[in-house]
Each structure stands twice: as structure tokens, then as C-alpha cells.
Amino acid sequence: MSTTYTLDTSTSRANPTPAPMKRLTVPKIRARKVDGTTEEPIVMLTAYTARQAQLLDPHCDLLLVGDSLGQVIYGLPSTIPVTMEMMANHAAAVVRGSYHSVVVVDMPFGSYEASPQDAFDAAARLLKESGAAAVKLEGGEAMAETVAFLSQRGIPVMGHVGLTPQAVNVLGGYMARGRSDAEAEKIVSDAKALDEAGAFAIVVEGVVEPIAIAVTEAVSCPTIGIGASAKCDGQVLVTDDMLGMFERVPRFVKKYNDIATTIGDTAAQYADEVRNRSFPGPEQLYQPKS
């Protein structure tokens, strides 16, 4: 399959490669929310490969290179074992495959929690090695100092509150958050702290809907919901979940397709044709020139 682009042939030292469209920027994403309202919701999906990025890029405002790749790509039991090398390499592939979306890369567990300086070193490495525009980290008030430290030094940060997968061992599982009054208040205060620290957007994951709405109303930056509320300023899903690559998905996922069945059926057809020797056929073979 090939894709035809109309290229802008004007280049510069900052953008030496012609691109079919101008990439969005972090300030433009942040500016989508005006006086507490985002007129056009922000679209974000995960991407892990160059080809996936090519297909998703025209339809998204943000592409998230999520540490969910640990489970989706590598078959790991959680996001905890994901490494800096994994994140940097996959983020670089997504940047190469995209022209339009802002590419955000997850900071892996253990790379940012110890101190703001450690977080800066890790984030700088990710952006240098990948070309991504921003990083995402999990945590609320405890991470506010780090978010401010990074933002003040030229590294845009997307926050993440509610269900934070990297804290699964502390949380005790992936259940929805915010059911108790105390936990609900903590999620809102966490989001406020990240907003005040300079986060340009905040992912709100796996929380009861009234809390997601409260967070969205409480912060000046856009909120990106996942298992939260349609009233968030945008939405994100793991692309492989949304496409139907897995039989079991979280409750908040809507399967827009059944790609797993398509792949299985196609592989079965290929296997049958190989075994009955109908593939390869004449159209796939090279013959001597007459």
C-alpha cells in the first residue's frame, strides 16, 4: 500500500525535510481550552510503530507512545518492566511516521520519581533520542515539583491522575478510582497541583464520571479522558484495544473493529494456500525472459 502526499517543497535549517502538513505544537494543544471550555475535543491515540503512526496521524491531535507497549508489544504483565530504551526507540519510530500530531512519550517507571533532576535527565534523553515534543508522567501533588522543574527547563509535561498503572502494586489492581470522598478529593487536588505546576494537559484515567467532570472544571489545562467522561476536553484509548486486537479489554474501551479476527482469518487462508500449493501463483513468480 502506498500513500501519495502533496509536499511543501520549501525547507529550512529547522525543517530540512518537506512535510505534507505542519505539525501541531504543545502551545496549540494547551490553547484549545479557553475560559474552561474546549470547543473541539482533543483526539489522542497510542502509537508504537512508524506504520501505525502513519495511519493514525491524519486523524489525531496527539499520538501517545504509551508504556502500555510493555503489554501490547512485549507481552509483559504490566508497565513496570518497561525500559528507557524501549520508550526511546518506539517514540523515534512514531516521530518518523508522523507529520501532524504532537508526539508525547511516557516516562517509564523508575525514571522520574527519585528527584526533579533525575526526571530532567531522563526526559531530556527521551526527547533527544526520539524527537518527541513532550513527556507524560504519572502522579499528582507528589510530582508537582518535578512537573514545574521540567516545564521551566523547556520540557513540556502531560500529567496523569486517577488510575495510574505504574502504581498498580500500591493501588492493588486496576479498579476505578474516586469512589470514596477522600479519594475523590485527592484526585481533584492532584490535578490542580499539576495544572498549577505547568502541565499542558492531564490524562484522567479510570475514575467515576462526576470526579472526571470535577477535574475538568477545576483545571485550566485540557483533560484527556480514558474511562472518565465525554465531558473531558479530549479522549485517548490504547489503539490495539480500540481496533479489537484483544478479546479482553477494560470496560471503558469501545471496540471499533475486530482486527484480531481479520488477522486470524487471513493467516488461516494463507496457511491453506501454502499447504495446497495454490500460493505462490503465477502472478507472484518470476519467469525467465523470452
Side-chain angles (χ1 to χ4, degrees):
M1 178 179 176
S2 63
T3 303
T4 301
Y5 293 116
T6 300
L7 294 181
D8 178 359
T9 56
S10 61
T11 62
S12 68
R13 290 171 63 192
N15 299 283
T17 303
M21 62 183 73
K22 190 172 183 180
R23 193 184 289 276
L24 289 171
T25 64
V26 165
K28 286 183 178 179
I29 296 296
R30 175 63 183 81
R32 293 274 284 273
K33 189 170 185 176
V34 180
D35 296 329
T37 302
T38 301
E39 184 174 344
E40 181 181 353
I42 296 165
V43 178
M44 182 162 77
L45 284 169
T46 61
Y48 313 116
T49 67
R51 183 55 180 153
Q52 194 175 44
Q54 287 175 330
L55 297 173
L56 302 176
D57 187 51
H59 311 289
C60 294
D61 303 303
L62 295 154
L63 289 177
L64 173 65
V65 187
D67 58 0
S68 51
L69 63 82
Q71 294 146 307
V72 173
I73 302 294
Y74 293 96
L76 297 170
S78 72
T79 62
I80 302 299
V82 170
T83 66
M84 285 285 290
E85 288 73 19
M86 290 178 185
M87 297 310 304
N89 289 338
H90 284 275
V94 170
V95 170
R96 287 193 293 268
S98 61
Y99 289 100
H100 170 66
S101 303
V102 174
V103 178
V104 181
V105 55
D106 264 337
M107 298 189 70
F109 177 74
S111 68
Y112 61 91
E113 295 90 342
S115 72
Q117 184 62 56
D118 286 342
F120 178 83
D121 292 342
R125 176 185 170 187
L126 283 175
L127 298 194
K128 283 183 177 182
E129 293 186 10
S130 70
V135 298
K136 182 172 77 65
L137 54 80
E138 297 181 7
E141 289 179 290
M143 287 293 109
E145 180 185 358
T146 295
V147 170
F149 191 89
L150 298 183
S151 300
Q152 292 164 9
R153 287 160 178 79
I155 298 179
V157 181
M158 176 179 285
H160 186 149
V161 300
L163 173 57
T164 48
Q166 291 180 5
V168 63
N169 291 323
V170 172
L171 298 176
Y174 295 101
M175 67 286 292
R177 317 306 303 182
R179 295 195 182 278
S180 70
D181 290 343
E183 190 174 51
E185 291 175 6
K186 179 68 166 60
I187 292 170
V188 174
S189 64
D190 280 343
K192 286 181 178 179
L194 295 177
D195 183 38
E196 293 169 1
F200 76 91
I202 301 172
V203 170
V204 183
E205 178 172 0
V207 302
V208 294
E209 185 178 28
I211 304 310
I213 295 172
V215 167
T216 300
E217 293 174 346
V219 300
S220 61
C221 69
T223 58
I224 310 293
I226 176 169
S229 173
K231 293 185 179 180
C232 289
D233 300 298
Q235 300 295 325
V236 62
L237 284 176
V238 172
T239 296
D240 298 70
D241 289 344
M242 179 267 292
L243 291 176
M245 284 289 288
F246 299 102
E247 288 73 25
R248 296 179 61 189
V249 296
R251 173 178 175 172
F252 54 72
V253 173
K254 178 178 178 178
K255 288 188 179 182
Y256 286 82
N257 213 315
D258 186 11
I259 299 298
T261 296
T262 299
I263 292 173
D265 290 348
T266 304
Q269 181 182 353
Y270 165 74
D272 288 344
E273 292 186 7
V274 169
R275 290 175 179 132
N276 65 30
R277 298 189 185 278
S278 63
F279 175 84
E283 61 273 21
Q284 286 92 37
L285 299 175
Y286 300 98
Q287 300 298 336
K289 292 183 178 180
S290 55

